[in-house]
Amino acid sequence: MEDFWVVVLAGLKVWVYLIVALLMVPAMFGFSLGISETYMKILVKTLEVNCDIFVCGFPGLIQRDDGSMEEALGELRRSRPKTPVGGDFTLSDCFYFYRRGIEDIVEDEVTQRFSSEELVSWNLLTRTNIDFQYISLKLTMVWGLGVFIRYCILAPLSVCVFCRLKSWLSDWVHVMCYRICARGLSCTIHYYNKENRPRKGGICVANHTSPIDIVILCNDGCYAMVGQSHGGLMGVLQRAMARSCPHIWFERADMKDRHLVAKRLTDHVNDNTKLPILIFPEGTCINNTSVMMFKKGSFEIGGTIYPVAIKYDPQFGDAFWNSAKYNMVSYLLRMMTSWAIVCNVWYLPAMTQQAGEDAVQFANRVKSAIAHQGGLVDLSWDGGLKRAKVKDMFKEEQQKMYSSMVVGSEEDNSSHSD
């Protein structure tokens, strides 16, 4: 029994290799091996033989005259005597209108344009108004062979190409495109601990320095992106990416609805066939020296977290994107005119939320691990402060801390009073 399955697996491998070598590679590079042309020639020859054996139809049930109404009425009047009453009117004129009405009822010239075309020669398919009819044993054998080829060879081939290999081919093309982008930016990337790379159904979280972070990570795997929809060049790139991969882009109004965002992320994570989600929990770009507060939303949806630490080498070029100073086009121009972009990427072991640990504590634990691995400063401040004012809550916490130092806690005051 084991030998049987070994043979089956070997056959499937050969089948896949043939598909890749004979179909996908020529399609990707725009050349042909001549297989399709040979197949079409064989098909044309077969149908020509079938045309000699069986003619299934004719141009139409109604043979209409191309002449005008005047010519048709004139022909009728010459064959029948005129009725003197009524000037030029003759009773035989009615036969012309009867005939035209019956012709339109039997074979309407407009309605028949919305049904399958009737072929003069049967094409061995039962997809017109005339189905298979037994004519001869030879024709029946040809028809049976055609059924076998179409349903046992062509249909499985199409399913195999467009379904089973679609995901693999899509991932391969995406990685290839990102690698081309990396070469264009003169990127040199070093990956460490590849055995910890994110897997499907998980969440990859990383510190955020630049939009190039996506190119850096996608050079070594495919991810589903999550983020806010943008305009301009970034928006064009986002819309192009969404056509080929299940990325999750939110409008600004949706980002405020945390429940909607959490639901879409949860649905994605619960599907183990989908790509791992790539999230930058800081929510903004930090200047390659620190890791700031991780938003807790990414850690509330459950699932396995795959931390990744990204650290650029600043001596070859500054990869930090200061969005308040440079737009996307200016930033990319700066990157392309740098000496190089050298980056180190560390894949950390997968992490899950521990018992009794809330989302904030889990986020801080992941952030600390990333900061320690990348040699970055671990900060508790919110990166959103570069665009917004400090919340009153943080001011109150600092005031309470200072007041406890000056006045002392209630326990200290009670002990002194004793």
Side-chain angles (χ1 to χ4, degrees):
M1 192 65 179
E2 294 181 356
D3 295 337
F4 170 76
W5 289 113
V6 170
V7 173
V8 171
L9 292 176
L12 289 176
K13 288 183 179 179
V14 172
W15 179 254
V16 172
Y17 292 152
L18 287 175
I19 291 175
V20 173
L22 301 180
L23 293 180
M24 293 186 177
V25 173
M28 285 187 293
F29 294 99
F31 66 90
S32 175
L33 299 177
I35 298 176
S36 298
E37 291 78 2
T38 303
Y39 169 70
M40 291 304 301
K41 290 179 181 178
I42 296 173
L43 192 59
V44 169
K45 290 292 184 182
T46 303
L47 295 179
E48 287 178 352
V49 173
N50 177 50
C51 181
D52 296 335
I53 298 175
F54 177 55
V55 176
C56 68
F58 38 84
L61 296 174
I62 305 299
Q63 300 297 320
R64 288 184 170 86
D65 297 330
D66 295 333
S68 62
M69 182 176 65
E70 291 80 3
E71 294 175 352
L73 291 176
E75 183 67 25
L76 286 173
R77 292 176 180 180
R78 282 194 296 269
S79 61
R80 291 172 177 82
K82 284 188 177 182
T83 302
V85 181
D88 292 335
F89 172 77
T90 62
L91 187 61
S92 62
D93 293 349
C94 298
F95 292 103
Y96 169 78
F97 297 103
Y98 293 154
R99 181 170 62 87
R100 291 302 302 268
I102 293 174
E103 288 177 351
D104 290 337
I105 292 173
V106 174
E107 194 174 75
D108 180 18
E109 288 185 336
V110 175
T111 305
Q112 65 176 327
R113 308 307 171 193
F114 302 98
S115 60
S116 298
E117 178 186 3
E118 293 299 339
L119 304 178
V120 176
S121 174
W122 185 39
N123 62 356
L124 301 178
L125 298 175
T126 56
R127 296 173 186 173
T128 59
N129 294 331
I130 300 179
D131 292 335
F132 170 75
Q133 301 176 28
Y134 179 79
I135 301 298
S136 66
L137 179 60
K138 180 179 180 180
L139 183 61
T140 302
M141 293 177 63
V142 173
W143 176 79
L145 179 62
V147 171
F148 174 79
I149 293 174
R150 289 186 289 113
Y151 287 94
C152 298
I153 297 179
L154 297 181
L157 178 64
S158 300
V159 172
C160 185
V161 171
F162 291 105
C163 296
R164 297 187 61 182
L165 295 181
K166 176 184 177 182
S167 177
W168 174 83
L169 182 62
S170 176
D171 294 349
W172 183 79
V173 170
H174 275 80
V175 171
M176 180 176 64
C177 292
Y178 281 113
R179 287 175 178 172
I180 293 174
C181 292
R183 300 300 187 274
L185 294 171
S186 302
C187 292
T188 301
I189 312 169
H190 305 286
Y191 299 97
Y192 303 96
N193 307 322
K194 287 191 174 184
E195 66 276 7
N196 297 326
R197 281 186 295 189
R199 294 176 173 82
K200 292 185 176 181
I203 303 174
C204 174
V205 298
N207 58 300
H208 197 24
T209 303
S210 161
I212 299 177
D213 295 341
I214 298 174
V215 177
I216 298 297
L217 292 178
C218 289
N219 262 253
D220 197 41
C222 289
Y223 299 89
M225 312 297 174
V226 176
Q228 179 179 312
S229 298
H230 292 273
L233 178 60
M234 180 66 78
V236 173
L237 296 175
Q238 285 181 328
R239 289 189 292 273
M241 293 167 61
R243 293 190 185 98
S244 55
C245 268
H247 301 299
I248 303 175
W249 306 123
F250 295 99
E251 298 296 337
R252 184 178 297 273
D254 295 336
M255 293 295 290
K256 297 178 180 179
D257 189 349
R258 296 179 64 252
H259 297 289
L260 177 61
V261 175
K263 183 180 183 304
R264 292 189 62 181
L265 294 177
T266 302
D267 293 341
H268 188 104
V269 171
N270 290 336
D271 190 349
N272 292 328
T273 63
K274 290 187 177 181
L275 296 174
I277 297 177
L278 176 58
I279 299 179
F280 300 105
E282 291 168 300
T284 188
C285 294
I286 312 300
N287 69 349
N288 196 43
T289 62
S290 312
V291 180
M292 303 190 74
M293 185 183 76
F294 279 6
K295 305 293 191 301
K296 67 177 182 177
S298 307
F299 302 88
E300 291 178 329
I301 61 178
T304 304
I305 300 295
Y306 295 91
V308 177
I310 303 174
K311 176 67 174 177
Y312 293 90
D313 192 337
Q315 65 177 333
F316 299 102
D318 183 14
F320 169 60
W321 181 33
N322 186 352
S323 58
K325 187 175 181 180
Y326 302 105
N327 58 29
M328 178 58 67
V329 176
S330 300
Y331 171 75
L332 291 177
L333 181 61
R334 286 171 55 86
M335 292 299 97
M336 288 186 287
T337 54
S338 299
W339 292 116
I341 298 176
V342 181
C343 181
N344 296 312
V345 178
W346 292 271
Y347 297 110
L348 279 67
M351 302 175 68
T352 56
Q353 192 169 359
Q354 298 176 352
E357 187 179 43
D358 60 21
V360 175
Q361 294 171 337
F362 185 27
N364 289 333
R365 181 162 61 90
V366 174
K367 177 171 67 75
S368 299
I370 292 176
H372 176 74
Q373 180 64 71
L376 304 168
V377 179
D378 186 1
L379 299 177
S380 59
W381 292 102
D382 186 358
L385 291 175
K386 77 175 186 178
R387 293 187 180 89
K389 296 181 179 179
V390 179
K391 295 181 179 179
D392 294 336
M393 178 181 63
F394 293 111
K395 297 179 182 179
E396 293 174 359
E397 288 181 358
Q398 296 296 318
Q399 292 171 355
K400 289 180 181 179
M401 186 181 300
Y402 179 72
S403 64
S404 63
M405 294 174 58
V406 175
V407 180
S409 62
E410 295 180 357
E411 295 179 358
D412 295 338
N413 293 334
S414 61
S415 63
H416 288 304
S417 63
D418 294 340

